[in-house]
Amino acid sequence: MTADPADDSAAPRARRRRNFAGARPVMDDVARLAGVSKQTVSRVLNDHPSVRPETRESVTAAMRSLGYRPSRSARSLASGRTRMLGVISFDAARYGPASVLTAINTAAQEAGYLVSSIALDTADRDTVVRALDRLSAEGADGVLAIAPQRRVGRALTEARADIPLVVLESEAGGGAAVVTADSRTGAREATGHLLALGHRTVHHLAGPDGWTSADQRLASWRETLTAAGAELPEPLFGDWSAGSGYELGRVLAGRPDVTAVFASNDQMALGVLHALHEAGRPVPDEVSVVGYDDIPEAAHLLPPLTTVRTDFAEIGVRSLRLLLNRVEGRTGPTPVEPLVPVELVVRRSSGPAPH
C-alpha cells in the first residue's frame, strides 16, 4: 500500500527507524517532538528574544529527551557565526600571558565558544597580518591579541582587521578595544612602599625596553622618586628571567649604598634574592626587595616576596566579555574599558631601611 502524501505519519516512522538504528538525532527530530518548526528550534539554540518561555522550555525538554547536541555547523548556519574565537599570543610561556590564556579558554568554553590559538615568535607587521588573515579564514567570529610589546600593538593597529578585535596588555590606540592592568599604579605603590619604610631611594630592575608594562612601570618609578625628592638611580634592564635578575642583582649586591630594589617582575626579583644571599646581604635587614605579578611561588620564597598582584584571570575574562559584546552587537565600536586594578601584597622581603 502506498502512503498518502497528505499523511506525514510515514515520515515519523522512518525517522524513528533511523534513530532506533543508532543515528544521531537532528534538528528535525527536536522540532517534531516539541511540535514546533525547525526555525523555532534554531531560535532557541541562539537565544532569540522572540521565543516565548513555554516554547523555549518545550524545545529544551525535547533536546534533553532525544539527547540532541547542536553541531557547530548548525549554529553557524542559524546565526551567521561559527562560535569560534581566535587568540594571538606572544611570549605565551611566561606566567602572565599563560594565565591570561587559561582564563580566556575557560571563559570561552563557559560561553559556548571554541578557541583557536596562534603563538607567534616575531612581532613584525607581516607576521601579525598573516595570523589575523588565517584566523579570519578559519571563520573566527572575533580575535583576542595578547600584545605586550609596543610594536605588536602598532602592527595590530596597522593591520586593520575586518573582524572584531580586542587587544590585551597594550596601548594599541587607533580605535582598538584594549584591556590592560594598571601598571603605573602598581609601580607607584611598590616604590612608595619602600620610600615609606625610610629608604633614601629605590633601585629599579626594569623589563625589556619596548614592552608596554615594563615601560609604564619604569616611568611610574621615576615619577614617584621625583615627586618624593629622592635620588633617581640609573635603572638596570633585564629580560624578565630569573637569570637576568641574578646577574643584575650581583651588580647591586656589590654596592653598599643599595638598600631597596624594585624589580619589574617576580622572576627577576627571585634572581635578585639569590644574588643578595650569595653576597651575604640579608633581606630585608640590609636590602629590601619588591617584585611584580605575585606568581604562585612568591609567598613561598625565602623570605616571602613583597610584590604587586596582577589579576591575570580578570584580564582574560574582561577581554573575552568585551569581544563577545562586539561579536554579538551589544556595544559600540570603541568601548572604553577601565584598567584592571592591582594590589600591593606586603610580605617579609621588605622592611625598614638599615641605620
Side-chain angles (χ1 to χ4, degrees):
M1 183 177 72
T2 304
D4 182 352
D7 178 7
D8 65 356
S9 62
R13 281 199 301 273
R15 180 72 71 191
R16 284 197 294 271
R17 284 197 299 272
R18 193 179 74 176
N19 286 347
F20 183 79
R24 178 179 176 178
V26 296
M27 197 181 296
D28 285 332
D29 300 317
V30 175
R32 187 171 291 107
L33 183 59
V36 299
S37 69
K38 184 176 176 180
Q39 184 180 25
T40 298
V41 175
S42 175
R43 286 174 175 169
V44 170
L45 287 173
N46 290 282
D47 294 323
H48 198 283
S50 68
V51 181
R52 294 194 301 271
E54 58 271 22
T55 302
R56 189 181 303 277
E57 176 56 34
S58 176
V59 171
T60 54
M63 290 179 189
R64 289 193 297 269
S65 175
L66 293 170
Y68 173 73
R69 294 178 179 275
S71 67
R72 284 182 63 203
S73 59
R75 286 181 178 271
S76 177
L77 288 171
S79 66
R81 298 196 300 270
T82 62
R83 300 192 75 82
M84 187 270 282
L85 303 174
V87 175
I88 299 173
S89 63
F90 300 82
D91 204 26
R94 287 197 305 116
Y95 172 71
S99 300
V100 172
L101 279 172
T102 298
I104 289 171
N105 277 281
T106 300
Q109 184 177 13
E110 291 174 352
Y113 282 79
L114 297 178
V115 173
S116 177
S117 298
I118 297 177
L120 299 182
D121 295 326
T122 59
D124 61 275
R125 182 184 180 279
D126 289 345
T127 302
V128 172
V129 169
R130 284 196 298 271
L132 284 170
D133 287 346
R134 174 181 157 187
L135 291 170
S136 180
E138 289 179 357
D141 293 326
V143 173
L144 294 163
I146 303 174
Q149 296 158 289
R150 291 188 185 277
R151 67 176 183 272
V152 176
R154 288 195 297 269
L156 288 165
T157 300
E158 293 169 2
R160 300 186 181 278
D162 58 358
I163 55 177
L165 172 67
V166 172
V167 184
L168 291 70
E169 292 299 305
S170 176
E171 292 180 341
V178 176
V179 177
T180 188
D182 192 357
S183 281
R184 293 182 183 276
T185 294
R188 182 170 63 250
E189 291 189 359
T191 307
H193 166 69
L194 291 167
L195 292 175
L197 288 170
H199 295 277
R200 183 173 54 84
T201 191
V202 177
H203 292 257
H204 184 43
L205 262 62
D209 183 45
W211 289 66
T212 302
S213 59
D215 292 350
Q216 290 176 346
R217 291 166 199 171
L218 175 64
S220 186
W221 164 77
R222 283 179 171 141
E223 292 165 2
T224 304
L225 290 182
T226 300
E231 175 192 346
L232 188 61
E234 282 296 318
L236 302 177
F237 291 87
D239 62 7
W240 298 125
S241 69
S244 70
Y246 171 72
E247 294 300 331
L248 297 173
R250 292 178 64 186
V251 174
L252 294 175
R255 295 180 50 183
D257 61 314
V258 173
T259 67
V261 179
F262 164 43
S264 197
N265 77 336
D266 287 346
Q267 282 86 357
M268 291 195 297
L270 171 60
V272 173
L273 291 176
H274 181 191
L276 291 169
H277 175 75
E278 275 193 351
R281 301 196 65 186
V283 176
D285 294 342
E286 284 194 23
V287 183
S288 288
V289 178
V290 174
Y292 206 106
D293 287 340
D294 195 26
I295 61 175
E297 298 82 6
H300 306 286
L301 299 176
L302 291 175
L305 182 65
T306 296
T307 185
V308 177
R309 177 177 296 155
T310 301
D311 193 342
F312 294 110
E314 177 66 12
I315 294 173
V317 170
R318 279 199 195 185
S319 63
L320 183 79
R321 183 174 63 240
L322 182 57
L323 181 63
L324 292 184
N325 283 343
R326 304 189 82 184
V327 166
E328 298 172 4
R330 295 194 296 266
T331 188
T334 55
V336 177
E337 184 70 15
L339 293 172
V340 176
V342 296
E343 176 188 2
L344 179 67
V345 180
V346 178
R347 299 191 179 104
R348 294 203 301 273
S349 70
S350 57
H355 297 293

